[in-house]
Amino acid sequence: QVQMVETGGGSVQTGGSLRLSCTAPGFKSDICGMKWYRQAEGKEREWVGIIYKTGPSARYADSVKGRFTISNDETEATVYLQMNNLKPEDTATYYCEPAFGGTFCGRFRWGQGTQVTVSS
């Protein structure tokens, strides 16, 4: 299996913004779509959102709706998670994995994640 590569994390203050990226060698975001998850220390993994292949059809967890936006750059085979108005409760390690399984997309799994820390 191929691990996704999540990047773009960092430390920001409350109200700040970050843009996370997710891709992998050979990955095709126009076929596989993407799911984003996060896991805070000592807590279970939480679903953040999903984009189905291309177009505006993204869905979000209530906790991030209106603040986070998932977009899909087919040319770069990269999916982005734009995070605005960040809150301390958004502090977590963020992961991505394909939205679909199957022979091709099923080869890709979440990677090491990228850490987001929001201070008050």
Side-chain angles (χ1 to χ4, degrees), residues 18-21 36 48 68-70 79-83 94:
L18 286 171
R19 188 177 77 158
L20 308 184
S21 301
W36 283 96
V48 173
F68 290 12
T69 303
I70 301 173
V79 175
Y80 298 97
L81 178 64
Q82 177 67 43
M83 307 186 296
Y94 285 70

Side-chain angles (χ1 to χ4, degrees), residues 40-68:
E41 189 173 350
K43 296 187 177 180
E44 294 187 353
R45 191 173 70 164
E46 175 189 16
W47 177 77
V48 173
I50 187 170
I51 188 165
Y52 297 101
K53 300 180 181 181
T54 60
S57 54
R59 297 183 180 182
Y60 304 92
D62 288 343
S63 58
V64 306
K65 197 174 297 182
R67 300 187 297 121
F68 290 12

Side-chain angles (χ1 to χ4, degrees), residues 74-92:
E74 298 174 50
T75 303
E76 298 295 328
T78 299
V79 175
Y80 298 97
L81 178 64
Q82 177 67 43
M83 307 186 296
N84 297 328
N85 192 22
L86 283 162
K87 304 176 180 180
E89 51 264 43
D90 295 319
T91 295

